[in-house]
Amino acid sequence: MKYFLREGERSINMRLRKTVVLALVLLSIVAVGDARLRVNFYASTCPDVESIVRQTVEAKISETIITIASTLRLFFHDCFVEGCDASVLIFSPTGDAEKDAGENQSLAGDGFDTVARAKAAVEDACPGVVSCADVLAIAARDVVVAAGGPGFPVELGRLDGLVSAKGNVAGNLPEPTLNLNQLIAIFRKNNLSTTDIIALSGAHTVGAAHCVHFSNRLQSDPIDPTLNPDYAQELLQECPANADPDAVVQLDPATPFTFDNAYYRNLINGKGLLTSDQVLFTDSISKPTVLKFAKSQSSFFKAFTAAMIKLGRTGVKTGTQGEIRTDCSRFN
């Protein structure tokens, strides 16, 4: 009995040590971050902001599960163009804002609605204090947690940008047909490494893609040889040549609504839906990291949280560079 108690104590102590180490790593990442951002930025001005956003996010997810992927994707698309400044949320009556660009036409309305609801709830509690950019950053973390993914500290203190231009989008978002070198070039603009690319791509463990974004792999002759043959036939059934333009396929055929490392196992099995997914396994530079994340979910979670924190520092607006919008879809 004493032996088993000692073994149990060792197991508990080991888990505690791992938890402490991960916490210290995340805190060190935050500590060396953008000086304009900090955890608990609203501690004195809106102390309940994170719980308010979380409750709104959870309520929205209970209505529709696609809230998870659409909110997370909205954060990515915002940060990659003009930085994390909520510029993608702006509505333009003339159709010339970021969200009007062709690259953003596939953004689901549920993400926009999630942020709008959360911002309204925050405004009720703390009017004119919390930016839309910060609300989106918190919501992006919360949908990951709600899907079973890792929690992490969100640095806050962003202002909302004063520019949202359709013409600024081209060339700044990773396209589904890119190879690894092209992905590296896009991510490098935001100070993100190859490991960050592979970790953030793991967000494709949730969500779906329109047939048009991968039909080139199916309609070629021969069919893309990096596709698992059985998987390719399944995709052809769901996305024939005359497929409905609105038809979508889950990015992760294994666990489409759970944030886990199944995405990387899919890549190993030739079941990466997009070219930009499967290339992470077929390219020798990124393949070892894919294998690592497929084997260890904790390694993936650690890398993903680090990459999300780094991404959240992109293009931060302060001072006269931005404002705190009352309505996220309109400049003040």
Side-chain angles (χ1 to χ4, degrees):
M1 179 63 74
K2 289 182 179 179
Y3 170 79
F4 288 114
L5 286 174
R6 286 196 298 271
E7 287 302 299
E9 289 170 357
R10 290 193 189 100
S11 178
I12 292 171
N13 289 336
M14 183 65 71
R15 288 197 299 271
L16 286 173
R17 283 196 294 271
K18 288 181 178 179
T19 300
V20 170
V21 169
L22 178 58
L24 290 173
V25 168
L26 291 176
L27 286 173
S28 68
I29 292 170
V30 172
V32 298
D34 193 309
R36 297 166 290 184
L37 300 178
R38 66 177 184 273
V39 177
N40 296 323
F41 181 86
Y42 299 105
S44 60
T45 55
C46 194
D48 297 325
V49 59
E50 294 199 39
S51 63
I52 293 170
V53 174
R54 182 179 66 252
Q55 290 168 17
T56 305
V57 166
E58 291 173 349
K60 178 67 177 176
I61 292 173
S62 70
E63 295 176 16
T64 171
I65 194 68
I66 67 173
T67 296
I68 295 170
S70 60
T71 304
L72 185 55
R73 189 159 178 254
L74 188 62
F75 178 67
F76 289 166
H77 279 235
D78 181 45
C79 293
F80 273 90
V81 182
E82 292 293 319
C84 306
D85 64 352
S87 52
V88 75
L89 303 178
I90 291 294
F91 168 79
S92 168
T94 56
D96 58 0
E98 269 183 42
K99 69 184 297 185
D100 300 307
E103 295 89 339
N104 282 329
Q105 291 304 295
S106 61
L107 289 173
D110 294 271
F112 292 97
D113 186 53
T114 299
V115 177
R117 290 192 194 186
K119 172 64 172 176
V122 171
E123 282 294 302
D124 284 343
C126 319
V129 172
V130 182
S131 68
C132 298
D134 278 347
V135 169
L136 176 54
I138 296 168
R141 185 270 314 276
D142 290 346
V143 294
V144 169
V145 173
F152 51 92
V154 178
E155 297 175 324
L156 302 170
R158 303 167 188 80
L159 288 180
D160 299 320
L162 301 174
V163 175
S164 181
K166 180 178 179 179
N168 290 340
V169 176
N172 288 312
L173 287 173
E175 296 291 330
T177 57
L178 298 187
N179 61 38
L180 184 61
N181 287 335
Q182 293 168 323
L183 288 172
I184 289 173
I186 292 286
F187 278 72
R188 187 176 290 158
K189 294 180 183 180
N190 301 303
N191 298 314
L192 296 167
S193 68
T194 302
T195 298
D196 295 328
I197 295 172
I198 303 165
L200 291 174
S201 295
H204 283 177
T205 190
V206 293
H210 287 84
C211 295
V212 68
H213 290 140
F214 55 87
S215 60
N216 62 304
R217 305 181 71 196
L218 302 172
Q219 305 306 328
S220 60
D221 186 17
I223 291 174
D224 187 339
T226 65
L227 272 172
N228 178 297
D230 293 334
Y231 183 52
Q233 291 306 309
E234 292 175 14
L235 293 177
L236 280 169
Q237 292 295 315
E238 298 187 64
C239 292
N242 60 346
D244 183 333
D246 294 326
V248 297
V249 172
Q250 299 298 334
L251 286 157
D252 177 357
T255 57
F257 303 111
T258 302
F259 198 96
D260 56 20
N261 66 335
Y263 167 81
Y264 300 101
R265 294 193 296 274
N266 293 336
L267 300 186
I268 294 171
N269 293 321
K271 294 183 178 182
L273 186 60
L274 308 177
T275 298
S276 56
D277 291 321
Q278 194 59 50
V279 73
L280 299 180
F281 182 69
T282 58
D283 195 297
S284 60
I285 293 174
S286 48
K287 182 176 180 178
T289 304
V290 169
L291 292 170
K292 176 183 177 181
F293 291 167
K295 183 178 180 180
S296 171
Q297 182 161 280
S298 62
S299 293
F300 163 47
F301 280 4
K302 179 179 177 181
F304 180 81
T305 56
M308 283 289 283
I309 291 170
K310 288 172 66 176
L311 178 60
R313 297 171 182 156
T314 303
V316 172
K317 307 296 190 296
T318 58
T320 59
Q321 297 174 318
E323 63 185 4
I324 295 176
R325 291 182 215 144
T326 301
D327 178 343
C328 292
S329 67
R330 292 174 173 81
F331 300 118
N332 289 342

